[in-house]
Amino acid sequence: MSFTVVNGQGKQVRVDLYKDPFIIQADQSILVTIPADLTDHVLRMAYAIINTGKYQPLIDSLAAYKAAHQLNDWLYYQLIRHVAQQLAPKEDNYGRYTFYKWFMLNKSGYDARLALSHQKVIFYVYNNEDISDIPYFMVNGKQFVCLNIHDYAKANLNDDPPQPVNIGAESPGKPFSYKVTLMPDFTPSTEIEKNVSFEYGRKKYYFKVKLNTEQEKAFVNYPGVSFETYFNIPLSKQTYASLIPVLKKNLKGMDEKKGVNYLMRFTRYAFLYENDNENFGREKRLSPGETLASTYSDCDDRAALFFYLVKEIYNLPMIALLYPTHITMAVEFSKPIGDPIMYNGKAYSVCEPTPQAENTNIGQLSAKLKHVPYQVVYAYQPPLFR
């Protein structure tokens, strides 16, 4: 078994993911060849070699780029993924590619770890948030979530539990967060424009929404986060500028209730409906930007988009109502409409953003849900709401 460092002048790395390219010359001392047959010993030896190399300029450049572009952890990890692909192509040696991702995330100050399970290399990171639909394990009371389970789609880690690799890296670092509170500018070369239309009040409304295919790719493997985190994923500047001002113009002259009704029907009828199992083969929540880009979307996707639009344009208090097979929204107006939903002493009016058998108005709940129990999974109260 041999470990070698690639000779030469190193490797030029360029990642065109965000608006400004990430460019660096990776030193030859960190270009380690790793055998495909992974063992604890292989990973420890690879770490020993790269850890004595000139890796710090790469880590410093990543950190500087993250700070300059205000990347949240998830979007910073997307940059790391692309850099790892440049250093060690995934299709050539998956273990080496994963090792580089782990190394960069670990050296960036996160508590990232590797484990092995019958030649599968499992990549975990410390996370203290409410995350669903991806495996996790607990170590000394800390939750570690799996960042690469999508590469082992049919693997059952409960039947084949991975064994942690003791590489000897630095002491545990900070937790990794899935919260995305700012959407960066993605590379302009991957921008597209989508025509969106719907009918309201016997009038047809048309929109040309600017989207970015790289942004869509960045969220392909985004897990099931809490509803608070999910609902507050913003639009990109380009998408925002192409949609929100047009909506505001169309809403001019309407009172608040008519305006919310317009947004409810835009969210309900401007997009085709299909449930996630038919669309993706699994449950997947789409962020507002993804819903605008996708041909099909379901109830949670539309609930998130409706929430974003109402919050951005009217900034009204809202609650999300989760039923066994459905989620819908309710808005607090100065005076409730229809049969109100009472929550914490306040009256909210149902605003259904997903197509139903009935053409429900504000304040009307679908007949099939009237006697079905629900839970409020997210309550939004504007900080400056009067």
Side-chain angles (χ1 to χ4, degrees):
M1 185 180 298
S2 63
F3 290 84
T4 59
V5 176
V6 179
N7 292 322
Q9 300 301 313
K11 187 169 187 176
Q12 177 82 12
V13 173
R14 178 183 175 120
V15 173
D16 292 297
L17 174 60
Y18 303 116
K19 183 178 180 181
D20 301 317
F22 176 81
I23 304 172
I24 191 173
Q25 184 76 14
D27 191 81
Q28 62 179 0
S29 62
I30 66 170
L31 303 180
V32 181
T33 298
I34 299 176
D37 186 14
L38 290 177
T39 63
D40 282 44
H41 179 68
V42 165
L43 293 171
R44 285 196 299 268
M45 287 294 293
Y47 177 73
I49 293 173
I50 196 172
N51 196 45
T52 59
K54 297 178 181 179
Y55 66 82
Q56 199 60 49
L58 171 60
I59 303 303
D60 290 345
S61 294
L62 285 167
Y65 191 96
K66 180 180 188 291
H69 295 79
Q70 299 178 275
L71 298 180
N72 297 120
D73 291 351
W74 174 255
L75 294 169
Y76 178 58
Y77 174 58
Q78 303 313 303
L79 175 62
I80 284 177
R81 286 180 56 245
H82 282 73
V83 173
Q85 179 67 17
Q86 293 283 313
L87 295 173
K90 180 178 181 178
E91 58 275 16
D92 293 347
N93 186 325
Y94 180 77
R96 184 169 179 251
Y97 162 76
T98 305
F99 172 83
Y100 272 100
K101 288 196 300 180
W102 165 81
F103 184 84
M104 285 184 279
L105 198 61
N106 184 275
K107 291 296 184 181
S108 295
Y110 299 90
D111 190 352
R113 305 189 184 188
L114 294 175
L116 292 174
S117 173
H118 289 87
Q119 287 303 299
K120 293 188 290 289
V121 56
I122 309 300
F123 180 27
Y124 291 93
V125 68
Y126 169 40
N127 169 272
N128 55 18
E129 298 166 339
D130 180 15
I131 307 296
S132 62
D133 74 13
I134 55 175
Y136 70 94
F137 71 88
M138 304 297 295
V139 178
N140 297 326
K142 294 170 62 176
Q143 173 183 270
F144 287 78
V145 296
C146 183
L147 281 171
N148 68 330
I149 190 60
H150 55 275
D151 290 323
Y152 300 109
K154 297 182 180 180
N156 187 332
L157 299 184
N158 291 320
D159 294 340
D160 189 13
Q163 300 302 311
V165 178
N166 182 15
I167 295 180
E170 288 82 358
S171 58
K174 60 187 176 183
F176 179 91
S177 175
Y178 283 97
K179 291 183 179 180
V180 177
T181 56
L182 178 68
M183 196 67 68
D185 295 330
F186 286 77
T187 178
S189 64
T190 54
E191 286 182 0
I192 59 173
E193 193 171 67
K194 179 181 178 181
N195 292 318
V196 175
S197 65
F198 87 114
E199 190 172 311
Y200 179 77
R202 297 183 179 179
K203 180 180 178 180
K204 194 91 168 190
Y205 290 86
Y206 298 90
F207 307 82
K208 289 185 179 295
V209 183
K210 290 185 178 179
L211 305 162
N212 193 292
T213 56
E214 283 294 345
Q215 180 184 329
E216 292 179 64
K217 293 176 186 176
F219 283 88
V220 167
N221 298 313
Y222 191 71
V225 295
S226 70
F227 281 99
E228 179 180 3
T229 297
Y230 169 51
F231 275 34
N232 286 286
I233 298 174
L235 295 177
S236 68
K237 292 177 185 177
Q238 292 85 353
T239 302
Y240 184 101
S242 67
L243 177 64
I244 302 301
V246 180
L247 285 172
K248 288 182 177 179
K249 180 181 177 181
N250 294 344
L251 295 170
K252 191 174 181 179
M254 296 186 192
D255 62 29
E256 195 173 71
K257 292 177 182 177
K258 287 184 178 179
V260 171
N261 185 55
Y262 177 98
L263 295 177
M264 178 182 76
R265 295 180 184 281
F266 168 79
T267 312
R268 188 189 293 180
Y269 297 122
F271 314 97
L272 298 175
Y273 178 86
E274 190 170 76
N275 67 50
D276 285 344
N277 284 332
E278 294 173 346
N279 198 6
F280 302 104
R282 61 184 175 88
E283 177 65 24
K284 178 174 172 55
R285 297 175 189 162
L286 301 180
S287 66
E290 290 177 283
T291 299
L292 291 169
S294 180
T295 301
Y296 301 100
S297 52
D298 69 358
C299 59
D300 46 12
D301 312 326
R302 293 161 194 258
L305 177 59
F306 175 77
F307 170 84
Y308 181 88
L309 296 178
V310 173
K311 178 184 175 184
E312 190 61 37
I313 296 174
Y314 293 109
N315 203 24
L316 294 170
M318 288 175 277
I319 55 175
L321 311 175
L322 182 64
Y323 292 84
T325 60
H326 186 63
I327 187 169
T328 192
M329 301 299 299
V331 177
E332 182 189 355
F333 297 100
S334 55
K335 292 183 180 179
I337 306 171
D339 297 324
I341 300 290
M342 300 304 298
Y343 180 72
N344 286 348
K346 296 184 178 181
Y348 294 81
S349 302
V350 172
C351 295
E352 178 55 71
T354 305
Q356 301 294 306
E358 316 101 297
N359 181 19
T360 56
N361 295 314
I362 292 180
Q364 292 182 321
L365 190 64
S366 172
K368 66 180 181 181
L369 296 176
K370 285 186 177 179
H371 304 292
V372 178
Y374 64 86
Q375 63 179 122
V376 175
V377 289
Y378 179 50
Y380 171 71
Q381 188 71 22
L384 301 179
F385 183 70
R386 59 185 181 274

